[in-house]
Amino acid sequence: MKIASINTYVLKSPLPQPFAYSQGWVTARSTTLVRIRTDDGVEGWGETFSVGLQPPEIAAAVVESALAPLILDRDPFDVEVLWNEMYLRTRDFGRKGVVVGAISAIDIALWDIIGKSVGRPVYQLLGGAFRNRIQCYATGFFRTKGQGQAAEMAEEACRHADAGFSLMKVKLGFGLDDDLDVMSQIRAAVGDRSGFMIDANHGYGSSDAIRLGRGLADYNLAWFEEPVVPEDYAAYRRVRQALDVPIAGGEAEFTMYGFKDLIAHEAVDIAQPDICLAGGFTALRHINVLAQTGGVQVNPHVWGTAVGQYASLHMIAATPTTHYSLFADQPLFEYDTSSHPFRTSLVTSPLEHTGGWLDLPREPGLGFTIDEEFLEREGTLIRV
């Protein structure tokens, strides 16, 4: 079996209502998909996570010009060899960011091919599922105006609780007073029906992050995500030492090298690699080993299209619990509740939670079928 073709698809969909997180306004949903076909007709799909403000054409150009020539005519089963070759050949201009995101997309597609070729779901190829059902938490709470939307955020929280979510992650980072008002009104609205995480999207310095954490000390938060900028491990550590709440981070970190530093600096309690950005299945296997030996739990970040969602579900199933006990907390699935046509329409069977839980797919590979009509209508094909 050899890799015969690699195609990228750039998908863009303007949002009818732009929304904000702490770092800026998002006006469209976009991504870059990769389809790899073998010479005997097996195809695999991958995605590179186009971070909120990232033009997807950048990743497409990396796949087309830098990565595709390295893996054409190669055996897709040599996935570890191919990952290392892509990383090492781009090391002088890559290591982080869009280049590793492009490697992620190719790696995900290769694991999809392997699973389909042997008739097994990807999580079985990764060593098996530690759990057959995965609890979801609702993520959303994006702002359409910015500040002063506590009442709308409380209404959204009620919708999530009514839909069966017993956990939800609230986007903060809009100023301490506004953040505290949002959390106060959300908790008053949902009562004890839900627990919470908060995510500042690195919108604060360590002092303000600590002030926010202390202001929410009685909320029993599951975690405080990205309190400070991803480069500042010392600030992460200051926040972690000052607060009792678990500190989470890593959605903007890459490969085993980046997570080695994050863990060695004792910056986080929970590492959050995104499979579509941090290096794909191959890289997350490396990261899992580092996290276990470093005493850090892994709970992958999930964002993007149905392709990324399915890949993340397989990875979460195969992620061990670092702090084992009979009733240990398990990794959770981040369930995007915001408007996203590439999540709901790109595949024939999008992931839909039941009472806040997802069951694992049983089909070979990643377990989905692309809706080719939707892809042809919405995607821009780049042939390699």
Side-chain angles (χ1 to χ4, degrees):
M1 179 184 288
K2 301 294 182 183
I3 296 170
S5 66
I6 306 161
N7 293 332
T8 60
Y9 295 83
V10 170
L11 280 73
K12 290 182 176 181
S13 176
L15 289 169
Q17 174 63 65
F19 61 76
Y21 66 115
S22 71
Q23 298 304 302
W25 288 90
V26 179
T27 60
R29 283 302 184 92
S30 61
T31 197
T32 303
L33 300 181
V34 171
R35 170 160 55 188
I36 298 178
R37 284 197 174 108
T38 68
D39 55 359
D40 57 359
V42 181
E43 71 174 28
W45 287 91
E47 175 184 358
T48 177
F49 168 31
S50 292
V51 189
L53 308 176
Q54 174 187 315
E57 293 86 355
I58 304 174
V62 172
V63 173
E64 178 184 5
S65 60
L67 301 179
L70 298 177
I71 67 169
L72 278 169
D73 297 321
R74 304 288 292 276
D75 187 337
F77 277 75
D78 292 341
V79 64
E80 186 80 38
V81 172
L82 295 177
W83 192 97
N84 276 272
E85 187 159 338
M86 288 187 289
Y87 183 84
L88 296 174
R89 293 287 293 274
T90 61
R91 176 177 254 163
D92 288 351
F93 57 90
R95 296 199 304 278
K96 293 181 183 286
V98 178
V99 172
V100 177
I103 292 172
S104 305
I106 289 176
D107 184 80
I108 292 167
L110 293 177
W111 281 93
D112 191 23
I113 287 172
I114 295 169
K116 290 172 179 174
S117 298
V118 301
R120 296 279 188 169
V122 169
Y123 57 78
Q124 290 187 338
L125 307 180
L126 299 172
F130 287 94
R131 52 203 65 86
N132 293 315
R133 297 178 72 232
I134 296 172
Q135 186 176 6
C136 306
Y137 64 91
T139 190
F141 300 97
F142 296 102
R143 314 296 178 85
T144 56
K145 300 173 186 175
Q147 295 181 326
Q149 291 192 261
E152 292 101 316
M153 299 298 99
E155 291 175 3
E156 179 177 339
C158 289
R159 292 195 298 272
H160 297 326
D162 291 343
F165 291 103
S166 60
L167 290 167
M168 57 187 75
K169 184 170 76 178
V170 183
K171 291 287 187 177
L172 300 180
F174 290 82
L176 295 181
D177 290 341
D178 190 82
D179 288 351
L180 293 171
D181 187 29
V182 165
M183 291 304 297
S184 176
Q185 293 202 39
I186 286 175
R187 185 166 68 169
V190 302
D192 60 1
R193 291 193 292 161
S194 179
F196 305 105
M197 307 86 157
I198 60 170
D199 182 2
N201 287 115
H202 54 83
Y204 290 120
S206 58
S207 296
D208 280 341
I210 292 168
R211 291 172 64 197
L212 177 60
R214 288 175 175 165
L216 300 174
D218 65 343
Y219 280 66
N220 194 28
L221 298 172
W223 68 65
F224 184 171
E225 182 172 329
E226 281 206 311
V228 294
V229 294
E231 300 93 337
D232 196 345
Y233 299 142
Y236 258 104
R237 188 172 180 177
R238 285 195 294 273
V239 174
R240 184 171 178 238
Q241 290 175 335
L243 300 177
D244 292 331
V245 61
I247 301 302
E251 72 177 78
E253 195 51 89
F254 305 86
T255 76
M256 59 187 172
Y257 299 106
F259 281 88
K260 170 181 173 290
D261 291 339
L262 190 69
I263 294 166
H265 282 82
E266 300 180 348
V268 295
D269 299 282
I270 301 167
Q272 297 178 299
D274 190 299
I275 196 167
C276 298
L277 193 62
F281 287 108
T282 300
L284 264 66
R285 295 178 83 191
H286 305 156
I287 292 164
N288 278 349
V289 173
L290 288 171
Q292 276 195 293
T293 59
V296 170
Q297 180 60 47
V298 174
N299 200 127
H301 176 265
V302 184
W303 188 256
T305 75
V307 176
Q309 283 193 320
Y310 268 90
S312 298
L313 188 60
H314 285 265
M315 194 69 235
I316 292 171
T319 295
T321 300
T322 296
H323 308 295
Y324 175 77
S325 71
L326 291 178
F327 303 101
D329 290 338
Q330 300 296 313
L332 305 167
F333 184 93
E334 182 172 11
Y335 195 94
D336 178 14
T337 61
S338 59
S339 175
H340 198 340
F342 305 145
R343 186 186 71 246
T344 55
S345 302
L346 179 62
V347 298
T348 57
S349 298
L351 292 175
E352 299 289 351
H353 76 96
T354 302
W357 291 79
L358 287 171
D359 293 320
L360 298 186
R362 304 297 179 185
E363 295 79 7
L366 293 177
F368 61 78
T369 300
I370 291 287
D371 186 326
E372 296 284 353
E373 291 184 4
F374 178 87
L375 184 66
E376 183 176 345
R377 183 172 66 250
E378 299 293 335
T380 300
L381 170 63
I382 301 173
R383 297 186 183 278
V384 179

